[in-house]
Amino acid sequence: MKTAARAAGLGTTIFTEMSALALQTAAINLGQGFPDTDGPPEVIEAAVAALRGAHNQYAPLPGVPPLREAVLEHQRSYYDLEPEDLLITFGATEAIAASLLGVCDPGDEVVVLEPYYDSYAACISFAGAERRPVTLAPPDFALREEALRAAIGPRTRVLLLNSPHNPTGRVLTRPELELIAGVCVEHDLICISDEVYEHLVFDDARHMPPATLPGMAGRTLTISSVGKTFSFTGWKIGWCSGPTELVAATRAIKQYLTFAGGTPLQYAAAAALSLPRSAIETLRDDLGQRRDQLCAGLDAAGLQPLVPAGTYFVNADVGQDAVEFCASLPERCGVVAIPMAAFYDDKAAASTFVRFAFCKRAEVIAEAAQRLASLA
Ligand SMILES: Cc1ncc(COP(=O)(O)O)c(C=O)c1O
């Protein structure tokens, strides 16, 4: 039966492939970025209360009022941001898809930092737009001004950003963000900023939303969700906020994708965002310890880790072709990881680097480290 080239071109994601391999070989899955413990129990209780409290019908398209208020308060209290409008979405993933479909016409160009989260490429192509990658290369994965400027042309409409950045674990610095802001203003670009790891930053790194930089609030759509921050990746409750026109265009598309979903979980997400700051800090600090634990394990295994400033992920140089290394790793030592090449158009840019997720229980990381030690 004939199906669309659009679908055939997408294939199966590396995460699905590697998770299947993990199951098949009973390997420890450090491939996909999801925690193996639930988030705060009081948030789960809020979900149960919402389910029992008759919050089971369609939510309003813009989202339930308590969550809208909680997100606005979050933007205000953490970043001093007062967005003109806000939309609750089915995870950050839907906000990314709907915003790209809402702002790009066929033939427009979207500049994106590579390596990039895999849904970006798919959604850019659904919009009929072209992606223009700017390569961040190991070991520092820094943004270079010449590379950014070279990617921008007359058809560039959007700069699609992600910081804290999956898969590198980098948190863009103020000078990098100022460079981005300057380029957006100079070329009159829309910035779509995916900040799902906004609270998962370690040591002295600080997350700074691009919308807080001069000239950016009026051109930036800020996207986030509860999944990563609160360890509820299966809930898919996200949001985007920013100028009226950008949110309106995103909402116009979203109403015909899913309309609105997850009503009881929207109420629970409001409860999560209303927890004291210390709750987020505890989750972050705990994650930071597991980052250190996995980095030490990788080091002991002779795989050189690049200690990340944020996210769920650490990259290591395995000193050989990373695609082959990852394909044989489950058999060799019972661990699954993802080759960085999966996130790049330029397959040679980080061909010996492998991404490992550390959002797992300490005992799971200890076991993974022990298995990896057999490589040393
Ligand atoms: C950079 C990035 N953006 C978005 C998402 C998806 O967010 P959500 O689960 O809220 O749809 C992920 C999940 O891995 C991610 O890494």
Side-chain angles (χ1 to χ4, degrees):
M1 210 173 290
K2 188 182 174 322
T3 57
R6 182 188 300 121
L10 296 175
T12 315
T13 74
I14 180 103
F15 307 102
T16 311
E17 264 172 46
M18 292 311 240
S19 291
L21 194 58
L23 274 180
Q24 210 179 307
T25 56
I28 297 176
N29 190 355
L30 303 186
Q32 215 172 350
F34 59 88
D36 56 0
T37 47
D38 286 339
E42 58 270 48
V43 178
I44 294 181
E45 289 311 315
V48 173
L51 280 163
R52 295 215 165 111
H55 290 304
N56 297 299
Q57 309 309 327
Y58 294 129
L61 172 61
V64 304
L67 179 55
R68 293 179 57 79
E69 280 154 31
V71 173
L72 288 174
E73 177 52 28
H74 172 272
Q75 297 307 84
R76 198 177 296 131
S77 69
Y78 278 93
Y79 309 120
D80 207 13
L81 277 172
E82 297 279 356
E84 287 173 3
D85 202 357
L86 161 74
L87 175 68
I88 304 301
T89 57
F90 213 83
T93 305
E94 187 188 41
I96 293 160
S99 59
L100 286 166
L101 291 168
V103 302
C104 292
D105 280 320
D108 284 347
E109 292 179 1
V110 177
V111 169
V112 56
L113 307 186
E114 73 163 350
Y116 50 78
Y117 178 56
D118 60 348
S119 86
Y120 297 174
C123 294
I124 292 167
S125 95
F126 295 162
E130 301 283 329
R131 69 175 177 279
R132 290 279 170 265
V134 176
T135 305
L136 307 180
D140 60 1
F141 297 111
L143 175 63
R144 314 247 180 260
E145 179 166 1
E146 325 74 74
L148 177 61
R149 291 195 177 279
I152 292 170
R155 302 225 52 177
T156 309
R157 171 75 62 98
V158 173
L159 206 157
L160 174 53
L161 264 193
N162 168 224
S163 177
H165 184 257
N166 173 15
T168 64
R170 280 218 57 220
V171 178
L172 292 180
T173 59
R174 179 180 262 281
E176 286 172 314
L177 289 167
E178 282 171 350
L179 166 66
I180 286 165
V183 164
C184 285
V185 171
E186 185 183 328
H187 294 274
D188 196 18
L189 306 181
I190 291 167
C191 176
I192 298 181
S193 175
D194 174 354
E195 304 178 21
V196 296
Y197 298 99
E198 62 186 317
H199 291 293
L200 305 181
V201 295
F202 313 117
D203 309 325
D204 50 5
R206 292 286 170 272
H207 169 62
M208 192 183 299
T212 59
L213 281 115
M216 291 298 277
R219 60 176 71 251
T220 303
L221 193 71
T222 304
I223 294 175
S224 192
S225 70
V226 289
K228 310 290 182 181
T229 300
F230 295 100
S231 299
F232 290 120
T233 58
W235 284 18
K236 287 286 184 177
I237 301 294
W239 53 84
C240 60
S241 62
T244 309
E245 306 90 298
L246 295 185
V247 176
T250 308
R251 189 168 48 235
I253 301 292
K254 185 231 182 333
Q255 69 184 323
Y256 295 115
L257 291 177
T258 56
F259 185 68
T263 308
L265 298 180
Q266 290 197 22
Y267 283 93
L273 286 176
S274 307
L275 289 172
R277 282 184 183 222
S278 57
I280 292 182
E281 287 160 10
T282 303
L283 288 162
R284 177 203 63 200
D285 292 346
D286 179 52
L287 186 66
Q289 283 171 13
R290 285 170 294 139
R291 171 200 66 166
D292 294 344
Q293 188 190 358
L294 184 56
C295 286
L298 291 168
D299 215 13
L303 308 173
Q304 291 160 25
L306 300 173
V307 179
T311 77
Y312 281 173
F313 307 107
V314 53
N315 288 282
D317 188 350
V318 298
Q320 58 179 282
D321 182 83
V323 174
E324 284 167 20
F325 177 89
C326 290
S328 67
L329 196 61
E331 288 285 332
R332 280 165 73 203
C333 72
V335 173
V336 161
I338 306 285
M340 279 286 262
F343 305 95
Y344 279 95
D345 288 346
D346 177 357
K347 299 295 178 201
S351 62
T352 61
F353 284 81
V354 171
R355 190 194 78 170
F356 297 85
F358 52 79
C359 49
K360 307 291 174 188
R361 281 168 294 140
E363 56 272 32
V364 172
I365 294 184
E367 173 64 25
Q370 201 177 347
R371 294 183 185 190
L372 288 167
S374 66
L375 299 172

